[in-house]
Amino acid sequence: MTKNKKWIGTVILLLVLLCGWMAWSKWASTTRIGLVNFQNFQTTSLIKSNEDQFIKYEEVSLEELGRLDRYDFVLGFGMGLRMTAGQREQLQKAADKGTPVYIYAATNPENNICNLDSITKADITSYIGNGNKKNYRNMARYVRQHIDAKRLFVTPAEEAVESASDVLYHLDEDLSFKTVADYEKYLREQGIYREKAPKIAIVGGLNDPFSGNRANIDSLIVSLQNAGMNVYPVSSYRQRLTFLREIGPDAV
């Protein structure tokens, strides 16, 4: 009888542990997001924007597409994505088996792989299309809340906000300026503007100053200011020449 009780107790304990492990995996475990074909600066922006302990990003090489079932969501960057037919088949197979997959901005129709519903796809597109630190942070939370469907350790995601464009900016990533006059007014209020000092314009390239990955930009701004110059960082595609004409910089 004693042996039977011990055996029954052991079975009950194992069942409790198994149920606990299953509940943890379903409702509380870490959300793992796999990133395919993102440039290093993009990956860094996404990772640095994440503030949630139970959300993790991992880069996935094209040689690892056969192991996508380990991820709760796979997000790919479609521009410049060059897969072999076999790699594309692996990606599609993972999607067919139920791993949430979305290749964003696919320029090759063959790479336009997505098994998200239309609403979820539109939401993820809005977050990543307006790529700033706040949107990246909330995209990760959205994935955990709505795609991975976790119930514990969840921070509700806010809606995507439009990223600033065609603006000047400074060290405060929450501020942007539509006109040179507004920007110079801000510099004067901060005691930074130097009358008759050389003007240096910084014209952004791939590095988005609102993406959360801007240590290099901030370092450049501070260094030039400490050298006695007025710095004009510009984030714009359509208004670059207009801004430069109005600034009249001594160097770009």
Side-chain angles (χ1 to χ4, degrees), residues 27 52 141 144-145 150-156:
W27 296 327
D52 292 65
R141 292 171 176 173
R144 180 168 176 82
Q145 181 181 11
K150 289 295 192 290
R151 297 185 182 180
L152 301 177
F153 311 113
V154 172
T155 302

Side-chain angles (χ1 to χ4, degrees), residues 23-219:
W24 174 268
S25 298
K26 183 176 178 61
W27 296 327
S29 61
T30 297
T31 297
R32 301 179 68 187
I33 303 174
L35 299 176
V36 177
N37 195 52
F38 281 86
Q39 299 296 313
N40 288 337
F41 74 90
Q42 295 173 306
T43 302
T44 302
S45 295
L46 289 165
I47 292 174
K48 292 184 70 172
S49 297
N50 177 36
E51 297 180 350
D52 292 65
Q53 183 179 354
F54 283 84
I55 302 173
K56 301 295 182 185
Y57 284 104
E58 294 181 21
E59 291 185 89
V60 183
S61 69
L62 296 182
E63 290 71 32
E64 297 176 303
L65 295 182
R67 299 187 292 175
L68 295 180
D69 56 353
R70 66 176 66 182
Y71 298 104
D72 302 296
F73 178 50
V74 176
L75 179 63
F77 187 60
M79 293 185 183
L81 176 58
R82 297 179 180 178
M83 293 187 290
T84 64
Q87 290 169 339
R88 190 176 296 110
E89 183 180 350
Q90 289 177 321
L91 187 61
Q92 185 63 62
K93 185 177 180 180
D96 292 341
K97 285 188 174 181
T99 299
V101 175
Y102 177 30
I103 304 300
Y104 168 75
T107 51
N108 180 350
E110 292 184 329
N111 296 337
N112 190 18
I113 299 173
C114 178
N115 61 355
L116 304 179
D117 63 67
S118 59
I119 294 176
T120 303
K121 179 182 178 181
D123 288 340
I124 294 295
T125 299
S126 185
Y127 283 120
I128 198 166
N130 288 285
N132 56 52
K133 186 175 182 179
K134 184 176 182 180
N135 285 335
Y136 286 157
R137 182 187 305 124
N138 281 298
M139 181 180 72
R141 292 171 176 173
Y142 181 96
V143 171
R144 180 168 176 82
Q145 181 181 11
H146 297 289
I147 296 179
D148 195 19
K150 289 295 192 290
R151 297 185 182 180
L152 301 177
F153 311 113
V154 172
T155 302
E158 299 176 6
E159 293 185 0
V161 295
E162 186 175 354
S163 189
S165 60
D166 297 321
V167 294
L168 292 100
Y169 61 93
H170 200 252
L171 298 175
D172 187 337
E173 61 188 313
D174 294 323
L175 294 179
S176 60
F177 307 88
K178 284 290 187 181
T179 68
V180 174
D182 287 342
Y183 177 70
E184 290 180 341
K185 178 183 177 183
Y186 169 78
L187 294 183
R188 287 187 171 93
E189 290 173 347
Q190 299 298 312
I192 299 171
Y193 189 83
R194 292 178 170 84
E195 298 294 340
K196 298 182 179 180
K199 296 181 178 181
I200 308 298
I202 300 175
V203 181
L206 293 174
N207 201 161
D208 182 350
F210 306 108
S211 67
N213 177 25
R214 49 173 291 167
N216 58 325
I217 300 176
D218 290 347
S219 177

